[in-house]
Amino acid sequence: MTKTYQPLRSVRWEDDELVLLDQTKLPEQTEFLTLKDVKQVWDAIERLKVRGAPAIGITAAYGVYVAVRHFPAATAEELLAEVKKQADYLATSRPTAVNLFWALNRMVKIAEIATAQGQSPEAMKRMLLVEAQAIQAEDEAVCRAIGEHALTLFSDGIGVLTHCNAGGLATAKYGTATAPMYLAHEKGWKIKVFADETRPVLQGARLTAYELQQAGIDVTLICDNMAAKVMANGWVQAVIVGTDRVAANGDVANKIGTYGLAVLARAHNIPFYVAAPLSSIDLNTPTGKEIPIEEREADEIIRGMGRQIAPNDIKVYNPAFDVTPHELVTAIITEKGIVRAPYKENLRALFEK
Ligand SMILES: CSC[C@H]1O[C@H](OP(=O)(O)O)[C@H](O)[C@@H]1O
């Protein structure tokens, strides 16, 4: 009997409103938010109520429509100017996940096309909503395709370690790193997942462990400092993670702690895979050195989960991401196939296919 994955959708356009699952409340509470204005959308992205590169892009796309749907533009040019203004505002919510900028650029492009076609402001607004819905629908198909390619690297009974949440909650459905886990489960394979808790915001403990358990997948939660022991035990045959931005040379920005995992995987001769939709690959950023790394507030560490665990006013360094050099990446798994080194040439070729 095939087990179909029942998604817990993090972003929905429902009854003509943008509805988000508040990921800061999981796993204890399943709470939905209806976002009525662009400031609420900005806050939801910045405060990680919605997070994960593709989900951020989808939310920002709907956010542009929410921002302008009632704007009283007399002409398409006036509305185009407002679309650009609101897209620029949403672009300030978080700096690292390139999907945010990729999705906002798509929304501005639609507004430019509508203007060039001489569409009315009302027609442009309809085109904007359709584009946001297309971005969401495409992401679901992209994630499933990533899963199918990744599955060719897995086998029944495999042990897989993952970091943070690159799951269904971070995308339209299936996730990127978790897509092969769901598809393997659908095929009836026995797959053992080890999920890093992923300090300080615990996306692995709160989200990955939660969504995989809900789907009936064998998942074991470990603290980040246990990954080496799990690998040394021989329990891991592959590491697979998501990404917020792949640079043109194949350097990978992802949740803080990913770089350390890649070093551990290399030390244990374990393949290190990055699941990356083309919407997360940024050929305009030459190397990982040029990827902006978000630094978040000290309280995420000092008072992260509701209780104080460090002295007041202690100095804190809280980068939300790190960069894994492409030399440590075994393969980048995209919806168009599996990409291996030399990454600079092979990533560019993806966009020429
Ligand atoms: C499928 S992209 C998921 C990606 O996003 C996460 O970051 P955050 O939770 O801060 O948005 C993490 O880097 C995941 O790999």
Side-chain angles (χ1 to χ4, degrees):
M1 180 197 69
T2 54
K3 312 172 184 76
T4 50
Y5 161 50
Q6 296 306 326
L8 191 58
R9 301 247 185 202
S10 53
V11 185
R12 296 198 306 247
W13 188 259
E14 193 173 78
D15 301 332
D16 206 26
E17 298 277 14
L18 176 55
V19 178
L20 292 187
L21 169 62
D22 183 345
Q23 298 191 37
T24 64
K25 298 286 175 54
L26 288 174
E28 311 96 316
Q29 293 153 33
T30 303
E31 206 175 289
F32 293 92
L33 306 166
T34 300
L35 305 188
K36 298 279 191 185
D37 64 46
V38 69
K39 176 82 176 64
Q40 289 178 348
V41 178
W42 191 98
D43 281 335
I45 294 171
E46 196 278 335
R47 292 169 57 194
L48 307 190
K49 293 186 174 195
V50 61
R51 33 66 48 205
I56 289 170
I58 294 164
T59 301
Y62 282 122
V64 170
Y65 175 69
V66 166
V68 304
R69 66 188 304 187
H70 301 310
F71 182 77
T75 66
E77 287 74 9
E78 263 184 55
L79 186 55
L80 172 58
E82 185 64 13
V83 165
K84 288 180 175 176
K85 179 181 157 210
Q86 297 300 343
D88 289 347
Y89 168 62
L90 286 164
T92 65
S93 54
R94 294 186 76 188
T96 306
V98 71
N99 297 63
L100 172 62
F101 313 102
W102 169 85
L104 292 172
N105 288 341
R106 272 189 59 168
M107 297 301 282
V108 169
K109 187 110 183 88
I110 281 295
E112 288 170 342
I113 291 168
T115 304
Q117 290 174 345
Q119 300 283 353
S120 68
E122 285 318 304
M124 187 194 294
K125 290 177 182 179
R126 286 192 294 275
M127 289 168 71
L128 287 167
L129 178 56
V130 167
E131 183 69 359
Q133 290 170 321
I135 288 171
Q136 181 168 25
E138 288 165 24
D139 186 66
E140 180 169 330
V142 160
C143 287
R144 186 166 182 105
I146 288 172
E148 283 156 3
H149 290 301
L151 219 46
T152 64
L153 301 168
F154 286 12
S155 55
D156 192 354
I158 190 172
V160 179
L161 189 146
T162 193
H163 191 71
C164 196
N165 174 255
L169 291 168
T171 64
K173 186 179 176 184
Y174 298 112
T176 55
T178 61
M181 302 170 190
Y182 287 117
L183 298 189
H185 189 58
E186 273 183 17
K187 286 166 69 82
W189 286 9
K190 292 274 171 289
I191 177 167
K192 289 179 180 307
V193 179
F194 295 90
D196 275 357
E197 64 173 354
T198 316
R199 283 187 54 74
V201 183
L202 306 180
Q203 291 93 327
R206 296 187 304 106
L207 306 176
T208 301
Y210 175 75
E211 68 167 89
L212 294 181
Q213 186 188 55
Q214 291 288 312
I217 292 171
D218 178 346
V219 55
T220 302
L221 174 63
I222 62 172
C223 296
D224 301 341
N225 54 12
M226 299 170 185
K229 171 119 182 71
V230 167
M231 291 182 188
N233 289 352
W235 296 347
V236 177
Q237 285 72 51
V239 176
I240 187 166
V241 298
T243 181
D244 293 80
R245 189 182 311 215
V246 179
N249 72 339
D251 290 347
V252 172
N254 195 51
K255 185 51 53 197
I256 187 71
T258 302
Y259 173 33
L261 265 189
V263 173
L264 285 173
R266 180 57 54 93
H268 290 83
N269 199 24
I270 295 170
F272 182 85
Y273 298 124
V274 177
L278 267 64
S279 56
S280 300
I281 299 171
D282 178 9
L283 299 183
N284 297 319
T285 297
T287 75
K289 289 187 184 62
E290 291 81 37
I291 299 177
I293 298 298
E294 178 184 26
E295 286 196 35
R296 295 183 65 86
E297 62 276 0
D299 256 13
E300 244 178 33
I301 296 175
I302 297 171
R303 272 169 275 272
M305 289 300 143
R307 57 159 296 192
Q308 185 163 343
I309 59 164
N312 287 319
D313 307 323
I314 187 73
K315 269 199 292 187
V316 166
Y317 174 47
N318 184 18
F321 303 97
D322 58 24
V323 173
T324 298
H326 61 83
E327 295 88 349
L328 294 176
V329 178
T330 308
I332 297 173
I333 305 161
T334 77
E335 63 272 32
K336 287 193 175 180
I338 297 168
V339 178
R340 297 178 189 271
Y343 289 113
K344 189 170 180 180
E345 297 80 350
N346 291 338
L347 288 174
R348 182 163 297 284
L350 272 185
F351 290 83
E352 284 149 13
K353 274 184 192 171

Short mmCIF file of all heavy atoms in Angstrom, two decimals, residues 161-186:
data_model
loop_
_atom_site.label_atom_id
_atom_site.label_comp_id
_atom_site.label_asym_id
_atom_site.label_seq_id
_atom_site.Cartn_x
_atom_site.Cartn_y
_atom_site.Cartn_z
N LEU A 161 21.15 11.90 7.20
CA LEU A 161 21.16 12.98 8.20
C LEU A 161 20.84 14.30 7.50
O LEU A 161 21.31 14.55 6.39
CB LEU A 161 22.54 13.05 8.88
CG LEU A 161 22.63 13.99 10.08
CD1 LEU A 161 23.60 13.44 11.13
CD2 LEU A 161 23.03 15.40 9.67
N THR A 162 20.00 15.10 8.14
CA THR A 162 19.66 16.41 7.59
C THR A 162 19.75 17.48 8.67
O THR A 162 19.81 17.17 9.85
CB THR A 162 18.28 16.41 6.91
OG1 THR A 162 18.13 17.60 6.12
CG2 THR A 162 17.15 16.32 7.93
N HIS A 163 19.78 18.74 8.24
CA HIS A 163 20.00 19.88 9.15
C HIS A 163 18.94 20.93 8.90
O HIS A 163 18.52 21.13 7.77
CB HIS A 163 21.40 20.45 8.86
CG HIS A 163 21.89 21.45 9.85
ND1 HIS A 163 22.27 21.11 11.13
CD2 HIS A 163 22.10 22.79 9.74
CE1 HIS A 163 22.69 22.20 11.76
NE2 HIS A 163 22.59 23.23 10.95
N CYS A 164 18.48 21.56 9.97
CA CYS A 164 17.45 22.59 9.88
C CYS A 164 16.17 22.01 9.30
O CYS A 164 15.90 20.80 9.45
CB CYS A 164 17.94 23.77 9.04
SG CYS A 164 16.92 25.24 9.27
N ASN A 165 15.37 22.85 8.65
CA ASN A 165 14.14 22.32 8.01
C ASN A 165 14.14 22.78 6.57
O ASN A 165 13.96 23.98 6.29
CB ASN A 165 12.88 22.82 8.72
CG ASN A 165 11.61 22.40 7.97
OD1 ASN A 165 10.98 23.20 7.33
ND2 ASN A 165 11.26 21.13 8.06
N ALA A 166 14.39 21.83 5.69
CA ALA A 166 14.23 22.07 4.25
C ALA A 166 13.09 21.16 3.81
O ALA A 166 13.21 20.39 2.86
CB ALA A 166 15.53 21.77 3.51
N GLY A 167 12.02 21.26 4.58
CA GLY A 167 10.90 20.34 4.43
C GLY A 167 9.69 20.97 3.78
O GLY A 167 9.75 22.08 3.23
N GLY A 168 8.58 20.24 3.89
CA GLY A 168 7.33 20.75 3.33
C GLY A 168 7.00 22.11 3.89
O GLY A 168 6.46 22.98 3.20
N LEU A 169 7.36 22.37 5.14
CA LEU A 169 7.06 23.65 5.77
C LEU A 169 7.89 24.79 5.17
O LEU A 169 7.52 25.96 5.28
CB LEU A 169 7.33 23.55 7.28
CG LEU A 169 6.35 22.66 8.06
CD1 LEU A 169 6.87 22.40 9.45
CD2 LEU A 169 4.95 23.27 8.09
N ALA A 170 9.00 24.46 4.54
CA ALA A 170 9.88 25.48 3.97
C ALA A 170 9.59 25.72 2.50
O ALA A 170 10.27 26.51 1.84
CB ALA A 170 11.33 25.06 4.16
N THR A 171 8.59 24.99 1.97
CA THR A 171 8.30 25.04 0.53
C THR A 171 6.79 24.95 0.31
O THR A 171 6.03 24.96 1.27
CB THR A 171 8.96 23.83 -0.17
OG1 THR A 171 8.34 22.63 0.34
CG2 THR A 171 10.46 23.76 0.10
N ALA A 172 6.40 24.78 -0.96
CA ALA A 172 4.97 24.62 -1.25
C ALA A 172 4.49 23.24 -0.82
O ALA A 172 3.36 23.05 -0.38
CB ALA A 172 4.72 24.80 -2.74
N LYS A 173 5.37 22.24 -0.96
CA LYS A 173 5.04 20.87 -0.55
C LYS A 173 6.31 20.03 -0.71
O LYS A 173 7.21 20.39 -1.46
CB LYS A 173 3.93 20.31 -1.44
CG LYS A 173 3.43 18.94 -1.00
CD LYS A 173 2.29 18.44 -1.90
CE LYS A 173 1.84 17.03 -1.52
NZ LYS A 173 0.81 16.48 -2.42
N TYR A 174 6.42 18.95 0.01
CA TYR A 174 7.50 17.95 -0.09
C TYR A 174 8.83 18.43 0.51
O TYR A 174 9.62 17.62 0.99
CB TYR A 174 7.79 17.54 -1.54
CG TYR A 174 6.63 16.90 -2.25
CD1 TYR A 174 6.00 17.53 -3.31
CD2 TYR A 174 6.16 15.64 -1.87
CE1 TYR A 174 4.93 16.93 -3.97
CE2 TYR A 174 5.10 15.03 -2.53
CZ TYR A 174 4.48 15.69 -3.57
OH TYR A 174 3.42 15.11 -4.23
N GLY A 175 9.14 19.71 0.41
CA GLY A 175 10.47 20.19 0.81
C GLY A 175 11.46 19.97 -0.31
O GLY A 175 11.15 19.45 -1.37
N THR A 176 12.71 20.36 -0.03
CA THR A 176 13.77 20.07 -1.00
C THR A 176 14.59 18.90 -0.47
O THR A 176 14.54 17.81 -1.01
CB THR A 176 14.66 21.33 -1.20
OG1 THR A 176 15.15 21.74 0.09
CG2 THR A 176 13.88 22.46 -1.83
N ALA A 177 15.25 19.09 0.66
CA ALA A 177 16.04 17.98 1.24
C ALA A 177 15.15 16.82 1.68
O ALA A 177 15.54 15.65 1.62
CB ALA A 177 16.85 18.48 2.43
N THR A 178 13.93 17.14 2.10
CA THR A 178 13.04 16.06 2.58
C THR A 178 12.25 15.42 1.44
O THR A 178 11.65 14.36 1.65
CB THR A 178 12.02 16.58 3.61
OG1 THR A 178 11.21 17.59 3.00
CG2 THR A 178 12.74 17.14 4.84
N ALA A 179 12.26 15.98 0.26
CA ALA A 179 11.45 15.42 -0.84
C ALA A 179 11.78 13.94 -1.07
O ALA A 179 10.87 13.12 -1.14
CB ALA A 179 11.63 16.24 -2.10
N PRO A 180 13.07 13.54 -1.15
CA PRO A 180 13.34 12.11 -1.35
C PRO A 180 12.89 11.25 -0.18
O PRO A 180 12.59 10.07 -0.35
CB PRO A 180 14.86 12.05 -1.52
CG PRO A 180 15.38 13.30 -0.92
CD PRO A 180 14.32 14.33 -1.10
N MET A 181 12.80 11.86 1.01
CA MET A 181 12.35 11.09 2.17
C MET A 181 10.87 10.75 2.01
O MET A 181 10.44 9.63 2.25
CB MET A 181 12.58 11.89 3.46
CG MET A 181 14.03 12.28 3.67
SD MET A 181 14.21 13.46 5.02
CE MET A 181 15.93 13.94 4.80
N TYR A 182 10.09 11.75 1.58
CA TYR A 182 8.65 11.52 1.38
C TYR A 182 8.41 10.54 0.23
O TYR A 182 7.57 9.64 0.32
CB TYR A 182 7.94 12.84 1.12
CG TYR A 182 7.82 13.71 2.35
CD1 TYR A 182 8.43 14.96 2.42
CD2 TYR A 182 7.11 13.28 3.47
CE1 TYR A 182 8.33 15.75 3.54
CE2 TYR A 182 7.00 14.06 4.61
CZ TYR A 182 7.61 15.29 4.64
OH TYR A 182 7.51 16.08 5.76
N LEU A 183 9.17 10.70 -0.85
CA LEU A 183 8.97 9.82 -2.01
C LEU A 183 9.42 8.39 -1.69
O LEU A 183 8.77 7.42 -2.09
CB LEU A 183 9.71 10.36 -3.23
CG LEU A 183 9.26 11.74 -3.74
CD1 LEU A 183 9.90 12.06 -5.08
CD2 LEU A 183 7.75 11.85 -3.84
N ALA A 184 10.50 8.26 -0.91
CA ALA A 184 10.96 6.93 -0.49
C ALA A 184 9.87 6.27 0.36
O ALA A 184 9.55 5.09 0.22
CB ALA A 184 12.26 7.04 0.29
N HIS A 185 9.28 7.07 1.24
CA HIS A 185 8.20 6.55 2.11
C HIS A 185 7.00 6.13 1.28
O HIS A 185 6.40 5.08 1.52
CB HIS A 185 7.81 7.66 3.11
CG HIS A 185 6.88 7.21 4.18
ND1 HIS A 185 7.17 6.18 5.06
CD2 HIS A 185 5.63 7.67 4.54
CE1 HIS A 185 6.16 6.03 5.90
NE2 HIS A 185 5.23 6.90 5.61
N GLU A 186 6.67 6.93 0.26
CA GLU A 186 5.55 6.58 -0.64
C GLU A 186 5.83 5.25 -1.33
O GLU A 186 4.93 4.45 -1.57
CB GLU A 186 5.38 7.67 -1.72
CG GLU A 186 4.51 8.83 -1.33
CD GLU A 186 4.34 9.82 -2.49
OE1 GLU A 186 4.62 9.46 -3.64
OE2 GLU A 186 3.94 10.97 -2.22
#
